[in-house]
């Protein structure tokens, strides 16, 4: 694990506290029973490859740095809007304390969309993975900065055992190496520096040569329009993950269409 900034450490601690509460609500035995009735996961990686830049459309009610994004937050309605607009996958923010999320939002999103659903959270426990699959998530986010190399490998292995994919998030060259060594097949480059919160979309251009061509490459944060999307596509990105721009947009469908450059 690289040195994690204070905010990330706080968010991970909040998520761990949330997990402890949910262990009481959803013991592992209950999750395992529910797993038996969940349909197979929708493959994430193939959904992100195509003639046009794929859009992972994110939903979140608020953030610790930007505050409230959606006074009325309706995951099911948003999922339907995102799918009809041409999104390739949906990222559902499930962390409650700082983002206003809930794992049950996965169920709500699934009620209106058949796209791959990603549980976006600060995942460090097996319970979070089991819960994600039991609630019909198809993929999860793993943040290299929040995990040791050994833990990253363990959680990625369990993710695959459960039939899910992982979007493995990196911030620099060292983390890219760790992600690839762990066997990541879908890598997300987060342009936001978690220490200063500055955004540098040039990071995608810098790190893309480090990833083999068969890796699905996702550019995250700071993507606001067609010019940014074109720059990411030209740099070799298969997909962009966009949240704030969609949550603040009067017409998120139009934003998604604008981002789907060829």
């Amino acid at each position: 694990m690289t040195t994690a900034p204070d905010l990330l450490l706080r968010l991970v601690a909040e998520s761990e506290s949330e997990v402890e509460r949910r262990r009481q609500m959803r013991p592992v035995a209950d999750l395992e029973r529910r797993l038996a009735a969940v349909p197979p996961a929708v493959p994430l990686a193939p959904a992100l490859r195509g003639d046009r830049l794929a859009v992972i459309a994110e939903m979140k009610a608020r953030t610790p740095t930007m505050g409230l994004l959606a006074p009325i937050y309706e995951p099911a309605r948003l999922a339907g809007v995102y799918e009809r607009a041409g999104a390739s996958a949906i990222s559902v923010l499930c962390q409650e304390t700082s983002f206003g999320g809930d794992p049950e939002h996965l169920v709500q999103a699934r009620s209106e969309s058949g796209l791959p659903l990603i549980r976006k959270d600060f995942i460090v426990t097996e319970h979070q993975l089991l819960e994600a699959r039991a609630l019909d998530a198809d993929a999860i986010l793993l943040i290299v900065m929040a995990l040791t190399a050994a833990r990253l490998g363990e959680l990625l292995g369990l993710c695959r055992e459960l039939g899910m994919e992982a979007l493995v998030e990196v911030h620099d060259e060292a983390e890219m190496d760790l992600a690839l060594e762990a066997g990541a097949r879908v890598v997300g480059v987060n342009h936001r520096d978690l220490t200063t919160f500055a955004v540098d979309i040039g990071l995608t251009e810098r790190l893309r040569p480090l990833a083999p061509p068969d890796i699905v490459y996702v550019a995250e944060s700071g993507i606001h329009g067609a010019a940014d999307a074109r720059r990411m596509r030209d740099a070799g990105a298969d997909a962009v993950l966009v949240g704030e721009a969609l949550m603040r947009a009067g017409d998120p469908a139009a934003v998604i269409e604008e981002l789907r450059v060829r």
Side-chain angles (χ1 to χ4, degrees), residues 166-251:
L167 171 59
V168 181
E169 182 176 289
V170 306
H171 296 83
D172 59 26
E173 289 85 351
E175 290 180 13
M176 176 67 82
D177 289 343
L178 289 171
L180 297 176
E181 288 169 8
R185 296 188 292 234
V186 182
V187 172
V189 175
N190 192 338
H191 301 143
R192 189 179 302 280
D193 185 310
L194 294 180
T195 303
T196 65
F197 306 113
V199 172
D200 175 13
I201 66 173
L203 195 59
T204 279
E205 294 158 333
R206 196 173 89 214
L207 298 187
R208 185 62 184 95
L210 303 180
D214 60 334
I215 294 294
V216 177
Y217 195 90
V218 181
E220 305 174 13
S221 298
I223 313 298
H224 295 292
D228 292 336
R230 168 56 58 197
R231 181 177 173 185
M232 297 300 96
R233 188 63 161 171
D234 289 346
D238 298 292
V240 290
L241 187 150
V242 180
E244 179 190 354
L246 296 179
M247 296 305 302
R248 293 190 184 280
D251 185 357

Side-chain angles (χ1 to χ4, degrees), residues 47-57 81-89 115 223-230 233 237-240 242 246 252-262:
L48 301 182
R49 287 198 184 276
D51 294 335
R52 300 177 73 174
L53 184 69
V55 175
I56 302 174
V81 169
Y82 288 171
E83 177 163 0
R84 290 190 294 274
S88 297
L115 293 176
I223 313 298
H224 295 292
D228 292 336
R230 168 56 58 197
R233 188 63 161 171
D238 298 292
V240 290
V242 180
L246 296 179
V255 176
I256 290 172
E257 176 59 27
E258 181 183 4
L259 295 172
R260 296 179 65 232
V261 299
R262 293 189 182 277

Side-chain angles (χ1 to χ4, degrees), residues 11 14-15 17-19 21-22 25 61-62 93-103 105 119-122:
L11 295 172
E14 290 174 353
S15 293
S17 178
E18 292 169 19
V19 169
R21 293 199 304 273
R22 287 202 295 272
M25 299 165 48
R62 63 176 185 266
L93 216 310
C94 293
Q95 205 260 19
E96 177 183 357
T97 309
S98 289
F99 289 86
D102 190 308
H105 292 164
R119 176 179 180 164
K120 181 127 180 229
D121 207 333
F122 300 88

Side-chain angles (χ1 to χ4, degrees), residues 57-62 70-84 89-95 99-118 135 246-247 252:
E58 184 161 282
M59 57 177 71
K60 52 191 173 186
R62 63 176 185 266
I72 300 175
Y73 184 58
E74 301 172 306
R77 182 189 65 81
L78 281 172
V81 169
Y82 288 171
E83 177 163 0
R84 290 190 294 274
I90 298 174
S91 170
V92 182
L93 216 310
C94 293
Q95 205 260 19
F99 289 86
D102 190 308
E104 287 294 337
H105 292 164
L106 291 162
V107 178
Q108 295 173 33
R110 177 60 75 210
S111 72
E112 293 294 329
S113 177
L115 293 176
L117 297 181
I118 304 169
L135 296 177
L246 296 179
M247 296 305 302

